[in-house]
Amino acid sequence: MKLRNIAIIAHVDHGKTTLVDCLLKQSGAFRENQKVAERAMDSNDIERERGITILAKCTSVEWKDTRINIIDTPGHADFGGEVERIISMVDGVLVLVDASEGPMPQTKFVLAKALKLGLKPIVVINKVDKPDQRAYEVQDEMFDLFSILDANEDQLDFPTLFASAKAGWAAEHPEGPQESMAPIFDKILEHVPEPTVEEGPFRVLATTLEANPFLGRLLTGRIISGVAKANMPVKALARDGSVIEMGRITKLLAFRGLERQPVEEAMAGDIVALSGLQKATVADTICAPEVMEPIQSQPIDPPTLAMTFSVNDSPLAGQEGDKVTSRMIRDRLMREAEGNVAIHITESASKDAFEVAGRGELQLAVLIENMRREGFELSISRPRVLFKTDPATGQRLEPIEEVVIDVDEEFSGSVVDKLSQRKAELQEMRPSGGGKQRLVFQCPSRGLIGYFGEFMTDTRGTGIMNRLFHSYAPYKGPIAARRTGTLISMETGTAVAYALWNLEDRGPMFIDPGDKIYVGMIIGEHSRGNDLDVNPLKGKQLTNMRASGKDEAVTLTTPIRMTLEKALAYVSDDELVEVTPESIRLRKRYLDIHERKRHAKMAVDA
């Protein structure tokens, strides 16, 4: 059977996973009576809850005697490491763009990687049934983007299709015919070349790694040469050519629809998953015993942001989670770093804290969320950017991000003002239709930490912000941090409604009456710039003249609910986020008030 390997790349929420659903249905991958979940490729819980793709996944469809392996890739810049690895497995890309929003930063990031590898793109302009669609303008914008990214003449001569993945049709024109997805399949067969096969014995470059409860470690990759057979002897080579281990392929799996089916053998060009090796990981070459040279892997962009994961040492530690020791946290982080090449782990000298570096806040927040669902308890520090030193001048360099914002015109002034305070430079400002303006900034990554919540408040929840790593540039100087202080508990126990009611004048609360609290825990935000130690346990004084039910009933304002991302963006350098399977709490790094004052004084003296 003929083969085609293709990746679908797009920005968040441009309809990529819905399109894959539609292609699977129309290719006959499902039985007529088969019950299939919506967004079938988004298989893990967090992907379904957030409506975004986090992990790159493979599926396959059959069309006119050809098997098409389709890889669904994440659309968010923080998970770009997933895309960089798998792009080397394919021979063509389907670039999906929203018919009203046009190309966005993440599209640009992945597209640049694909064009650099010489892949020929097919552009699909999706959601042409939206009332504010501007399909032909978006097609022109795509051409401009290709030329900016130095596409060659073949790549610039890209075919364009117009589609509505939701309605299940694609056509050469926005008007239709609105029949089926057949034009996409036909364009793939016509424009995507068959996989290039090299001569020689079996070789495959591992691009993704996962743990399977029955088969152990599963490595996925495309066979570059030779034939893979179940139970054949193989070895794993590191990038420098050294032998990591010898073993056998205990199970060979090929992608058939949404399922992975065991096969006896697979030919060069096909994408397979294989088990049987204990140490081999991403970017290693799995090959026949006689092979000596490893396959060259694509370099991955470096991480730009780091957080410290440490053992939870609060008074409430160990009450909600069952994985609390540094050894358990270390093993889990090392497992994550094995399969996720965009994450780097560094151990501290004391061995009870780990610096975890990644692409962005969302990527690290998803890792923390997964860990807390598995029963871990952690203390997380404020995110901080990773600086570099220019080898030529010795100058300090910091990561700069390209920020693309779509807002209603009335809010654009406050957005420009807030970002300029954070050392951002406005690059472009133009109307983007529908009374909205598109603002493009280059802003230090430091300035964007904690800005998103403020941005949503300033734009009344209507703004859309997308960001992407741009480059390293000279240090821009100090940026003003959070302007408010915090309310810190000076007692341990259970919060009392009467005490919280009396404290409401000081600022909004983060806790409810009845919540467990401890000395040094942050229970609210102080309306002024300084921290304030308060007593949330102080009840009403009762005498025989004042019965408990006589006074007015205590009515409290609803507290601010701290989600994980909100908490990570909120904390200062001297604060931590305590994460457990059931709670997210904010606390001071040093719980004792005298210790806090001593460290604050030392910091001022330094």
Side-chain angles (χ1 to χ4, degrees):
M1 185 177 268
K2 292 179 191 166
L3 269 178
R4 297 287 189 278
N5 296 321
I6 191 159
I8 300 188
I9 55 179
H11 191 74
V12 181
D13 206 28
H14 279 199
K16 178 168 29 66
T17 310
T18 308
L19 180 77
V20 176
D21 279 4
C22 207
L23 295 175
L24 284 164
K25 280 175 191 158
Q26 295 197 13
S27 66
F30 305 137
R31 298 191 313 274
E32 279 188 30
N33 64 342
Q34 187 172 343
K35 189 175 187 302
V36 181
E38 192 183 339
R39 301 200 322 277
M41 293 293 281
D42 283 351
S43 51
N44 81 38
D45 291 343
I46 296 180
E47 289 181 322
R48 291 202 160 280
E49 285 165 25
R50 294 173 183 245
I52 59 172
T53 304
I54 293 170
L55 302 169
K57 301 174 207 69
C58 186
T59 184
S60 82
V61 299
E62 289 184 17
W63 187 260
K64 295 182 181 173
D65 302 329
T66 304
R67 177 171 296 116
I68 304 170
N69 287 320
I70 300 171
I71 297 174
D72 183 19
T73 63
H76 199 288
D78 282 18
F79 308 109
E82 288 283 327
V83 182
E84 288 168 84
R85 292 178 313 189
I86 60 89
I87 212 90
S88 60
M89 292 202 293
V90 298
D91 304 290
V93 288
L94 212 61
V95 185
L96 197 66
V97 197
D98 189 298
S100 63
E101 288 184 11
M104 298 294 264
Q106 179 61 11
T107 321
K108 193 188 298 184
F109 167 76
V110 191
L111 196 54
K113 301 276 178 192
L115 294 175
K116 204 172 174 186
L117 288 172
L119 301 179
K120 283 188 71 174
I122 298 168
V123 173
V124 179
I125 295 172
N126 192 24
K127 305 190 183 183
V128 292
D129 48 355
K130 282 168 81 171
D132 59 344
Q133 65 90 6
R134 45 188 194 93
Y136 286 121
E137 283 177 53
V138 169
Q139 187 180 6
D140 293 342
E141 285 174 17
M142 285 304 291
F143 184 85
D144 294 342
L145 178 60
F146 275 59
S147 52
I148 289 167
L149 297 174
D150 294 330
N152 61 36
E153 284 190 19
D154 270 3
Q155 291 168 331
L156 282 171
D157 189 21
F158 57 84
T160 307
L161 288 171
F162 302 90
S164 168
K166 203 173 175 185
W169 63 268
E172 303 258 342
H173 304 283
E175 302 79 42
Q178 302 182 4
E179 290 166 0
S180 71
M181 285 288 174
I184 290 186
F185 289 122
D186 294 338
K187 275 281 187 283
I188 291 171
L189 299 192
E190 186 186 333
H191 282 272
V192 177
E194 287 196 48
T196 46
V197 175
E198 295 177 17
E199 293 296 318
F202 165 70
R203 287 181 304 151
V204 65
L205 179 70
T207 48
T208 64
L209 168 74
E210 64 182 287
N212 185 289
F214 306 106
L215 302 173
R217 293 160 64 91
L218 270 182
L219 292 152
T220 303
R222 184 174 95 172
I223 303 172
I224 303 290
S225 62
V227 178
K229 293 183 180 177
N231 216 29
M232 71 183 278
V234 289
K235 68 177 178 183
L237 296 176
R239 282 179 241 193
D240 59 2
S242 59
V243 177
I244 299 167
E245 63 175 323
M246 307 285 286
R248 284 182 179 276
I249 297 177
T250 53
K251 203 82 168 174
L252 187 64
L253 303 170
F255 295 88
R256 302 290 181 261
L258 287 177
E259 304 295 319
R260 273 192 299 222
Q261 294 177 359
V263 291
E264 284 306 307
E265 67 172 44
M267 309 301 292
D270 205 355
I271 295 173
V272 293
L274 47 93
S275 67
L277 295 170
Q278 303 304 313
K279 296 177 187 167
T281 184
V282 172
D284 292 339
T285 303
I286 294 131
C287 54
E290 61 268 28
V291 176
M292 294 297 159
E293 285 292 313
I295 304 164
Q296 291 302 308
S297 58
Q298 289 295 315
I300 300 291
D301 286 355
T304 57
L305 200 77
M307 295 178 192
T308 302
F309 288 39
S310 52
V311 173
N312 182 19
D313 59 355
S314 87
L316 300 178
Q319 295 186 16
E320 295 173 1
D322 55 3
K323 298 183 176 77
V324 294
T325 64
S326 60
R327 183 183 57 81
M328 285 175 158
I329 294 169
R330 181 188 181 280
D331 292 348
R332 175 65 179 84
L333 290 175
M334 291 307 171
R335 278 206 313 276
E336 184 69 27
E338 255 189 2
N340 190 340
V341 288
I343 279 183
H344 293 187
I345 315 287
T346 315
E347 281 188 67
S348 71
S350 61
K351 301 286 184 186
D352 64 349
F354 309 89
E355 185 178 273
V356 182
R359 289 284 176 81
E361 290 159 87
L362 181 62
Q363 183 194 23
L364 296 177
V366 166
L367 169 60
I368 298 164
E369 183 63 39
N370 277 325
M371 288 178 72
R372 71 181 279 234
R373 289 179 186 206
E374 292 163 20
F376 283 89
E377 286 196 13
L378 304 159
S379 289
I380 313 289
S381 73
R382 173 181 167 81
R384 63 187 178 282
V385 299
L386 298 173
F387 296 103
K388 278 185 176 179
T389 306
D390 189 334
T393 61
Q395 196 175 19
R396 194 185 195 191
L397 303 177
E398 68 172 322
I400 303 291
E401 298 193 27
E402 182 182 61
V403 186
V404 178
I405 290 175
D406 284 306
V407 288
D408 294 334
E409 287 177 18
E410 59 187 293
F411 304 129
S412 58
S414 64
V415 171
V416 171
D417 176 46
K418 287 279 174 71
L419 279 173
S420 57
Q421 289 174 25
R422 292 165 178 262
K423 300 282 194 285
E425 294 171 6
L426 183 63
Q427 304 292 311
E428 188 184 338
M429 185 174 187
R430 61 181 172 84
S432 59
K436 287 194 177 289
Q437 280 198 321
R438 178 161 292 181
L439 312 172
V440 181
F441 294 90
Q442 283 183 6
C443 181
S445 298
R446 285 180 302 139
L448 294 170
I449 294 172
Y451 172 63
F452 186 70
E454 210 175 309
F455 168 74
M456 293 309 278
T457 307
D458 291 344
T459 61
R460 310 287 188 275
T462 60
I464 298 169
M465 181 167 88
N466 295 291
R467 44 194 278 202
L468 176 70
F469 173 71
H470 182 266
S471 60
Y472 272 86
Y475 182 68
K476 303 267 185 184
I479 294 173
R482 192 179 74 208
R483 291 179 182 80
T484 56
T486 54
L487 300 175
I488 305 161
S489 171
M490 51 199 287
E491 297 289 343
T492 298
T494 303
V496 175
Y498 182 76
L500 297 182
W501 180 61
N502 280 325
L503 291 173
E504 277 192 343
D505 292 343
R506 302 287 188 180
M509 294 291 142
F510 298 155
I511 60 167
D512 285 301
D515 284 356
K516 291 179 183 174
I517 53 172
Y518 52 83
V519 175
M521 180 173 152
I522 296 169
I523 63 160
E525 182 179 280
H526 192 200
S527 51
R528 301 195 177 173
N530 61 311
D531 291 342
L532 191 66
D533 289 276
V534 296
N535 182 0
L537 269 60
K538 195 174 180 183
K540 187 190 295 184
Q541 291 299 312
L542 301 179
T543 67
N544 59 352
M545 296 294 292
R546 266 175 70 168
S548 59
K550 289 283 187 200
D551 290 329
E552 70 279 355
V554 171
T555 51
L556 294 171
T557 310
T558 308
I560 296 170
R561 305 282 177 215
M562 275 292 174
T563 60
L564 182 58
E565 277 99 336
K566 234 190 219 178
L568 290 171
Y570 185 83
V571 289
S572 297
D573 292 331
D574 65 333
E575 296 163 359
L576 298 172
V577 182
E578 181 188 345
V579 178
T580 74
E582 292 172 31
S583 314
I584 290 168
R585 304 184 187 98
L586 304 182
R587 53 164 282 193
K588 284 292 181 182
R589 189 181 292 272
Y590 304 104
L591 299 178
D592 181 65
I593 183 170
H594 304 296
E595 202 177 346
R596 275 203 304 279
K597 284 178 178 173
R598 190 168 72 251
H599 281 278
K601 189 172 185 297
M602 282 161 62
V604 170
D605 293 344

